[in-house]
Amino acid sequence: ELAREFASHGHALVLVARSKDKLTALAAELNAAHDTKALVIVEDLSRKGCAQAIVDELADRGIEIDILVNNAGVLDVGPFADTATDVYDNMVALNVAALTSLTSLLLPAMVGRKFGRILNVASLAAFQPLPSMAVYAATKAYVLSLTESLSEELRGTGVKVTALCPGLT
């Protein structure tokens, strides 16, 4: 929905996810409906090094990012002690590490241009502990804290950082 909203306002898009078929279909829909250009990059955002691979591809194509939307995330529900460690590792990799790396890699150019927007999708879960969703809530608290910190740090640079904290969707 965020991609549709940006496309409806004439923004060119770079869509990133691991599902090529879904991304390609969305890109075709947006290109047709809004006379925009949507580029597809197939990448697993939980993979170590994914952010650098994305930024390298953007550089190879001569694409600058003015608005970064960090929207990828995963949720798991269940008792902490009963959940496999790799589930938590994947959640932290996607919800925290990928967002942090993409922001870190794309932010310097925004600051250099004195313009940029970063929208980090956190959650209402960022504001409270959630039994059976402890790691998810912790990752979203991280996203909110990072966003608020960067918002203050970047005051006056022309770069705005905002958190979106939706409820259950």
Side-chain angles (χ1 to χ4, degrees), residues 69-124:
V69 178
N70 284 310
N71 188 41
V74 66
L75 163 73
D76 189 73
V77 179
F80 185 90
D82 295 344
T83 303
T85 302
D86 65 325
V87 170
Y88 296 136
D89 290 345
N90 182 67
M91 192 180 307
V92 170
L94 184 58
N95 295 8
V96 172
L99 175 144
T100 303
S101 294
L102 283 168
T103 300
S104 176
L105 290 166
L106 295 171
L107 179 60
M110 292 178 183
V111 172
R113 291 190 303 270
K114 296 184 168 99
F115 177 82
R117 302 290 183 262
I118 299 172
L119 176 62
N120 291 327
V121 179
S123 168
L124 287 179

